[in-house]
Amino acid sequence: MSQAGALGSNTAALLELSVTANRIQTTALLDSGATHNFISRALAKECGAVFVWAIPMCVSLATKSHVVSSQVATLTLLVGGVAQCLECRVVPEFAGSLVLGYAWLQAVNPAIDWQQRTVKFEHAGETVCVSAAAAS
């Protein structure tokens, strides 16, 4: 997981979206360097995600530390009002809450406008446009 910016000071370079995960409002960091989607164990529990055991995976965090993810959480994610089934690797000691990685980016294939800070994607023949969440 390459979320180095998430823990650094250059928040303008980050693109986070306001999303709903199983009825819980949160933000999701878009990260094309992350091989999978990731969720903190705390958020996964809070939103009542379904957990299943998975082949353990070593996850590199931005802090240069490594943790083992041995579970996958399945949840319903609302992005721009569009419901999507999302599988995320559960990260036990993760300061962020949700990372939409390459798996989500490849499936949705969004057009990202970095100057306008918007994400557009097609759903059911319609274009959905989502503005980035305000920097926190």
Side-chain angles (χ1 to χ4, degrees), residues 67-97:
V67 296
V68 175
S69 169
S70 57
Q71 291 180 306
V72 172
T74 303
L75 53 101
T76 300
L77 186 72
L78 278 176
V79 180
V82 175
Q84 304 167 352
C85 181
L86 187 70
E87 286 190 352
C88 300
R89 292 300 301 221
V90 178
V91 182
E93 300 165 20
F94 178 35
S97 58

Side-chain angles (χ1 to χ4, degrees):
M1 176 175 2
S2 65
Q3 59 189 35
L7 300 177
S9 60
N10 188 8
T11 57
L14 300 178
L15 197 59
E16 291 184 303
L17 302 178
S18 293
V19 299
T20 303
N22 286 2
R23 300 187 191 145
I24 302 294
Q25 289 282 358
T26 189
T27 57
L29 173 69
L30 297 187
D31 186 351
S32 63
T35 55
H36 294 73
N37 302 312
F38 294 94
I39 191 168
S40 68
R41 182 180 310 284
L43 177 59
K45 283 184 176 181
E46 181 182 359
C47 70
V50 176
F51 289 82
V52 296
W53 292 105
I55 296 171
M57 168 194 292
C58 184
V59 179
S60 300
L61 301 176
T63 59
K64 308 276 190 250
S65 63
H66 297 81
V67 296
V68 175
S69 169
S70 57
Q71 291 180 306
V72 172
T74 303
L75 53 101
T76 300
L77 186 72
L78 278 176
V79 180
V82 175
Q84 304 167 352
C85 181
L86 187 70
E87 286 190 352
C88 300
R89 292 300 301 221
V90 178
V91 182
E93 300 165 20
F94 178 35
S97 58
L98 182 60
V99 172
L100 298 177
Y102 184 76
W104 184 84
L105 292 166
Q106 184 181 31
V108 174
N109 196 26
I112 300 172
D113 184 326
W114 292 98
Q115 293 177 345
Q116 297 297 315
R117 299 184 51 75
T118 58
V119 175
K120 292 180 183 179
F121 59 93
E122 297 295 318
H123 175 73
E126 300 286 328
T127 300
V128 178
C129 183
V130 182
S131 296
S136 51

